[in-house]
Amino acid sequence: MTPESELTTSESTQPIATFLVFRGSAEEPQGFQEFKVPVEEGMVVLDAVHYIQQHFAPDLAVRWNCKAAKCGSCSAEVNGKPSLMCKTRMDALPLDEPVRVSPLKAFPLTRDLVTDVSWNYEQNKRITPFTPKDENTDAWNVRQEDVDRVQEFRRCIECFLCQDVCHVVRDHDQKDAFVGPRFLVRLASLEMHPMDAADRIPFIKEEAGSGLCNITKCCTEVCPEHIHITDNAIIPLKERVVDRYYDPVLWFLRKLRGKA
Amino acid sequence: MVQNYETRYECHHHDVLVVGAGGAGLRAAIEASAQGLSVGLVCKSLLGKAHTVMAEGGVAAAMANVDGEDGWQTHFKDTMHGGKFLNNWRMAQIHAQESPDRIRELERWGAVFDRTESGKILQRPFGGHTYRRLCHVGDHTGLELIRTLQDKGVHSGMDVYMEATITHLLMDNGRIAGAFGYWRESGRFIVFSAKTVILATGGIGKAYSVTSNSWEYTADGHAAAYRVGAELIDMEFVQFHPTGMVWPNGVKGLLITEAVRGEGGQLTNSEGERFMKNVDPKRMELSTRDIVAKAIYREVKEGRGSPHGGVFLDISHRGAEFIKKKLPGMYRQLLEFADVDITKGPMEVGPTTHYTMGGLRVEADSAQTTVPGLFACGEVAAGMHGANRLGGNSLSDLLVFGRRAGIGAADYIRQNPGVPVIRDEDVDAAARELITPFEQENGENPYELHRELQTMMQAKVGIVRQEADLQSALTDLQGLAERARRVSVQGSRQFNTAWHLAIDLGSMILASQAVAHCALQRQESRGGHTRLDHEGYNDYWARHNSTVRQENGDMRIGVSELPQMPEELAKLFEEAV
Ligand SMILES: Cc1cc2nc3c(=O)[nH]c(=O)nc-3n(C[C@H](O)[C@H](O)[C@H](O)COP(=O)(O)OP(=O)(O)OC[C@H]3O[C@@H](n4cnc5c(N)ncnc54)[C@H](O)[C@@H]3O)c2cc1C
Ligand code: SF4
Ligand code: SF4
Ligand code: FES
């Protein structure tokens, strides 16, 4: 059966959505290509992309793994909004106009919907890893309430949607001076870990560029894991930087009490 | 001596090449690095996106934090019971003994598990585990595990090659010499020379249409190792997890974690009956997966199913606050994908292809396969779980045997000095094979072939099997194998998903043949393998594993005798459980 005949037979029962999908690479011609896709109940944008691969464009480049909003692979921009394609329901989109699917804008294009996100992996490498206070204890005694916040941060699936939406990373291209919200979240998860011994405050100020964030909260809005990136991670980190550099007495007192 | 191929291909040299960056591969790579070796880690996806990230319910270890009576002996016994005694006893023993240490180690590397009131690692009940044993983080334990290992790994000095696919293993006189593959992004070929290779490529679930597995589970490790002479065992044992989503279509097969039942979820049929009481009145919903999956299958088959062809699973009696705290991922998954609020009412569930118990035969202590220098750990290895895996025993398996594979590889290198040599012709043959789909015109569409394979396997080699279906599956598979050789793809080699699938198809079909052959051979029903025409256990098969290996280009199916459990372990089963 050709795709066309499939469309006509299903037309009477199924609504058809028009997709404009970004195609091309640095070397190939770029632009939006139009596809018609029958819409099923409960369908998500990634289903449509797979339909397009199977019926019209077998070589369409796209990343995905879990199809369950758990791995953070299928990040793209749907109608301009950074989204997980596997989590974006078709019935939440206005289907009287074309659905535009394009790659993350903040990162260099590889091909079609795939971008080169290696910059993010480089940022992670710069961060001092978890440094246990106590190497020898068999099992740690840690209260749930002391790790609730850290667990919130550790829910991050590294989809990099927050990186994509953050204007510091995206527009101003200050990628040398700012690690982006994802890695401020990671830094917060380490700094607030009750059993961590390392001090990352100088790094957060000097190299991670915490001062460049001007708390627009765009990152928090797109986070599929609903992590309170700005309120719970970035603002407290900024406060710690201020304490350290501008209120050393307070910092010293905190250090005496435990975790600075 | 510089080999000719080195002038023509991108080449990397390592002591240890680890293929796969899930829990098993990462743990192996960390260990091999700690042993002072040069390690390369290759994975098909971005780092941190392997299957392990999707694991939900927890990781099993007899820490006895919640139930003080627990200990490795009980964990060992539960694992053997769950596997219907087809497990390699030594692997089950090592696993039960070493899991608690691997968990504590993970905590020292930064993992943050849920806590008990008194500040220990919290443990939850799961099917087939006598005690509350699964350490967990809500219902996203795998994410915690993989991120911890990833962050530890990138600071351990290894080289990571992400979005690269290994297609061939390379040999030097019966000893492993390296691997061949391609970058997904550019399509360019890469040669890795290595003294040892550790396979940690995961399972084969993408050969089925209703599956909880991602595109990565295409049996690459199974196929590549088989082609260089490694032995596979127990391939008929495929785990169908009882609770996958059945609706909407796009998410059919997506997993609903066993933790829902662990936390008190109840299964009912369309008549409101808790049908598990007819099958396993003692353990009810927390019976082993093979038993629950078959019970659901029967309810549906006999007309007592839910509207979308499953049964009902209800956790709402535990209250909204509890559910959102303990099962936040499930709450959102059902709400976002199926418009079902599980704090208010039941969800519909049905069996989904989930896990591959079969795989590469390995030595229990070192994780070495039957090919010298080739190691395997995680889901691609076999023996640990026998005929049926207990929930939570995979994540612990990855940590225990990932580490052991790293040590095994280091020992092997110490005992076998010298650098194996890769042959030019092997490299060229691999490259030629991969290019073929671009050179054939008007061939088959890989997506269409894949769909046919999945539908066929689901129907004929699925949760229940019988001779006629299996025979017909083997005929179908032969046809599919021939057609797969004629696939054609267009476009460039840059991130060409059709080409990637065209290559993966060969591995999937090969593994499917192994599954179908072994399923035909085993004339009994046990764990993940159910024969309608051979119900119940059989004494002969209770003592034998199935084996698969390549001989003169043909797939040779056979049996091997189960290793004998030593007296002191056998005695454990005489005491009351
Ligand atoms: C939804 C879901 C929930 C689960 N929940 C649990 C649970 O709660 N508890 C539990 O114990 N188990 C659970 N499991 C099972 C468990 O997660 C898996 O068995 C386990 O993660 C497998 O780990 P692995 O390291 O063997 O493979 P994976 O984590 O799958 O990693 C395989 C790696 O191999 C790479 N690879 C594959 N082929 C190639 C190739 N040709 N070249 C290069 N790289 C390749 C992949 O890119 C990937 O990096 C769950 C599984 C699923 C799917
Ligand atoms: S709040 Fe800060 S980090 Fe987040 S998007 Fe705005 S500037 Fe970027
Ligand atoms: S913090 Fe949220 S948006 Fe950012 S990478 Fe993590 S999960 Fe994605
Ligand atoms: S495919 Fe994993 S988040 Fe979408």
Side-chain angles (χ1 to χ4, degrees), chain B residues 84 127-129 280-288 291:
Chain B
K84 319 296 163 197
H129 291 282
D280 189 346
K282 191 157 154 239
R283 296 184 296 186
M284 295 293 284
E285 281 82 0
L286 289 182
S287 183
T288 53
I291 293 170

PDB file of all heavy atoms in Angstrom, chain B residues 84 127-129 280-288 291:
ATOM      1  N   LYS B  84      13.657 -20.695  38.377  1.00  0.00           N
ATOM      2  CA  LYS B  84      13.231 -22.092  38.237  1.00  0.00           C
ATOM      3  C   LYS B  84      14.442 -23.014  38.184  1.00  0.00           C
ATOM      4  O   LYS B  84      14.493 -23.978  37.417  1.00  0.00           O
ATOM      5  CB  LYS B  84      12.336 -22.313  37.006  1.00  0.00           C
ATOM      6  CG  LYS B  84      11.303 -21.236  36.738  1.00  0.00           C
ATOM      7  CD  LYS B  84      10.262 -21.095  37.824  1.00  0.00           C
ATOM      8  CE  LYS B  84       9.579 -19.741  37.641  1.00  0.00           C
ATOM      9  NZ  LYS B  84       8.843 -19.298  38.811  1.00  0.00           N
ATOM     10  N   GLY B 127       8.143  -8.588  43.644  1.00  0.00           N
ATOM     11  CA  GLY B 127       7.726  -9.962  43.361  1.00  0.00           C
ATOM     12  C   GLY B 127       8.849 -10.967  43.545  1.00  0.00           C
ATOM     13  O   GLY B 127       9.945 -10.776  43.044  1.00  0.00           O
ATOM     14  N   GLY B 128       8.551 -12.063  44.279  1.00  0.00           N
ATOM     15  CA  GLY B 128       9.500 -13.157  44.415  1.00  0.00           C
ATOM     16  C   GLY B 128      10.588 -12.924  45.451  1.00  0.00           C
ATOM     17  O   GLY B 128      11.359 -13.834  45.735  1.00  0.00           O
ATOM     18  N   HIS B 129      10.679 -11.738  46.001  1.00  0.00           N
ATOM     19  CA  HIS B 129      11.667 -11.471  47.055  1.00  0.00           C
ATOM     20  C   HIS B 129      10.994 -11.683  48.410  1.00  0.00           C
ATOM     21  O   HIS B 129       9.989 -11.034  48.706  1.00  0.00           O
ATOM     22  CB  HIS B 129      12.196 -10.027  46.966  1.00  0.00           C
ATOM     23  CG  HIS B 129      13.057  -9.769  45.761  1.00  0.00           C
ATOM     24  ND1 HIS B 129      14.369 -10.163  45.696  1.00  0.00           N
ATOM     25  CD2 HIS B 129      12.780  -9.161  44.581  1.00  0.00           C
ATOM     26  CE1 HIS B 129      14.878  -9.794  44.514  1.00  0.00           C
ATOM     27  NE2 HIS B 129      13.931  -9.195  43.816  1.00  0.00           N
ATOM     28  N   ASP B 280      -1.767 -17.892  42.650  1.00  0.00           N
ATOM     29  CA  ASP B 280      -0.744 -17.875  43.687  1.00  0.00           C
ATOM     30  C   ASP B 280      -1.317 -17.146  44.908  1.00  0.00           C
ATOM     31  O   ASP B 280      -0.994 -15.984  45.175  1.00  0.00           O
ATOM     32  CB  ASP B 280       0.512 -17.143  43.151  1.00  0.00           C
ATOM     33  CG  ASP B 280       1.699 -17.285  44.094  1.00  0.00           C
ATOM     34  OD1 ASP B 280       1.505 -17.713  45.262  1.00  0.00           O
ATOM     35  OD2 ASP B 280       2.822 -16.964  43.670  1.00  0.00           O
ATOM     36  N   PRO B 281      -2.211 -17.853  45.646  1.00  0.00           N
ATOM     37  CA  PRO B 281      -2.944 -17.184  46.732  1.00  0.00           C
ATOM     38  C   PRO B 281      -2.026 -16.629  47.815  1.00  0.00           C
ATOM     39  O   PRO B 281      -2.396 -15.684  48.501  1.00  0.00           O
ATOM     40  CB  PRO B 281      -3.840 -18.300  47.297  1.00  0.00           C
ATOM     41  CG  PRO B 281      -3.345 -19.577  46.730  1.00  0.00           C
ATOM     42  CD  PRO B 281      -2.602 -19.261  45.468  1.00  0.00           C
ATOM     43  N   LYS B 282      -0.824 -17.205  47.944  1.00  0.00           N
ATOM     44  CA  LYS B 282       0.064 -16.751  49.009  1.00  0.00           C
ATOM     45  C   LYS B 282       0.696 -15.401  48.659  1.00  0.00           C
ATOM     46  O   LYS B 282       0.668 -14.463  49.436  1.00  0.00           O
ATOM     47  CB  LYS B 282       1.148 -17.807  49.235  1.00  0.00           C
ATOM     48  CG  LYS B 282       1.965 -17.570  50.490  1.00  0.00           C
ATOM     49  CD  LYS B 282       2.613 -18.852  51.001  1.00  0.00           C
ATOM     50  CE  LYS B 282       3.866 -18.502  51.793  1.00  0.00           C
ATOM     51  NZ  LYS B 282       5.085 -19.086  51.278  1.00  0.00           N
ATOM     52  N   ARG B 283       1.259 -15.339  47.460  1.00  0.00           N
ATOM     53  CA  ARG B 283       1.990 -14.113  47.110  1.00  0.00           C
ATOM     54  C   ARG B 283       1.142 -13.119  46.340  1.00  0.00           C
ATOM     55  O   ARG B 283       1.523 -11.960  46.183  1.00  0.00           O
ATOM     56  CB  ARG B 283       3.247 -14.476  46.300  1.00  0.00           C
ATOM     57  CG  ARG B 283       4.230 -15.304  47.117  1.00  0.00           C
ATOM     58  CD  ARG B 283       5.500 -15.589  46.370  1.00  0.00           C
ATOM     59  NE  ARG B 283       5.282 -16.424  45.180  1.00  0.00           N
ATOM     60  CZ  ARG B 283       6.252 -16.909  44.410  1.00  0.00           C
ATOM     61  NH1 ARG B 283       7.508 -16.629  44.696  1.00  0.00           N
ATOM     62  NH2 ARG B 283       5.982 -17.649  43.357  1.00  0.00           N
ATOM     63  N   MET B 284       0.004 -13.598  45.803  1.00  0.00           N
ATOM     64  CA  MET B 284      -0.915 -12.737  45.053  1.00  0.00           C
ATOM     65  C   MET B 284      -0.188 -11.912  43.982  1.00  0.00           C
ATOM     66  O   MET B 284       0.528 -12.461  43.170  1.00  0.00           O
ATOM     67  CB  MET B 284      -1.702 -11.818  46.011  1.00  0.00           C
ATOM     68  CG  MET B 284      -2.623 -12.548  46.950  1.00  0.00           C
ATOM     69  SD  MET B 284      -3.998 -13.351  46.109  1.00  0.00           S
ATOM     70  CE  MET B 284      -5.071 -11.969  45.748  1.00  0.00           C
ATOM     71  N   GLU B 285      -0.353 -10.591  44.020  1.00  0.00           N
ATOM     72  CA  GLU B 285       0.253  -9.719  42.997  1.00  0.00           C
ATOM     73  C   GLU B 285       1.777  -9.764  43.024  1.00  0.00           C
ATOM     74  O   GLU B 285       2.431  -9.373  42.066  1.00  0.00           O
ATOM     75  CB  GLU B 285      -0.210  -8.267  43.172  1.00  0.00           C
ATOM     76  CG  GLU B 285      -1.598  -7.976  42.623  1.00  0.00           C
ATOM     77  CD  GLU B 285      -2.721  -8.369  43.576  1.00  0.00           C
ATOM     78  OE1 GLU B 285      -2.436  -8.879  44.678  1.00  0.00           O
ATOM     79  OE2 GLU B 285      -3.897  -8.157  43.201  1.00  0.00           O
ATOM     80  N   LEU B 286       2.343 -10.202  44.154  1.00  0.00           N
ATOM     81  CA  LEU B 286       3.803 -10.218  44.246  1.00  0.00           C
ATOM     82  C   LEU B 286       4.389 -11.598  43.932  1.00  0.00           C
ATOM     83  O   LEU B 286       5.480 -11.951  44.369  1.00  0.00           O
ATOM     84  CB  LEU B 286       4.265  -9.708  45.604  1.00  0.00           C
ATOM     85  CG  LEU B 286       4.056  -8.193  45.765  1.00  0.00           C
ATOM     86  CD1 LEU B 286       4.565  -7.694  47.099  1.00  0.00           C
ATOM     87  CD2 LEU B 286       4.732  -7.422  44.629  1.00  0.00           C
ATOM     88  N   SER B 287       3.657 -12.353  43.153  1.00  0.00           N
ATOM     89  CA  SER B 287       4.214 -13.584  42.607  1.00  0.00           C
ATOM     90  C   SER B 287       5.288 -13.220  41.582  1.00  0.00           C
ATOM     91  O   SER B 287       5.487 -12.044  41.276  1.00  0.00           O
ATOM     92  CB  SER B 287       3.096 -14.372  41.942  1.00  0.00           C
ATOM     93  OG  SER B 287       3.589 -15.607  41.470  1.00  0.00           O
ATOM     94  N   THR B 288       6.000 -14.223  41.030  1.00  0.00           N
ATOM     95  CA  THR B 288       7.041 -13.890  40.059  1.00  0.00           C
ATOM     96  C   THR B 288       6.419 -13.453  38.729  1.00  0.00           C
ATOM     97  O   THR B 288       5.263 -13.752  38.439  1.00  0.00           O
ATOM     98  CB  THR B 288       7.999 -15.077  39.835  1.00  0.00           C
ATOM     99  OG1 THR B 288       7.225 -16.221  39.505  1.00  0.00           O
ATOM    100  CG2 THR B 288       8.818 -15.348  41.081  1.00  0.00           C
ATOM    101  N   ILE B 291       4.616 -15.847  36.228  1.00  0.00           N
ATOM    102  CA  ILE B 291       3.307 -16.328  36.680  1.00  0.00           C
ATOM    103  C   ILE B 291       2.244 -15.236  36.533  1.00  0.00           C
ATOM    104  O   ILE B 291       1.143 -15.482  36.033  1.00  0.00           O
ATOM    105  CB  ILE B 291       3.411 -16.830  38.141  1.00  0.00           C
ATOM    106  CG1 ILE B 291       4.311 -18.082  38.153  1.00  0.00           C
ATOM    107  CG2 ILE B 291       2.044 -17.130  38.714  1.00  0.00           C
ATOM    108  CD1 ILE B 291       4.694 -18.554  39.539  1.00  0.00           C
TER     109      ILE B 291
END
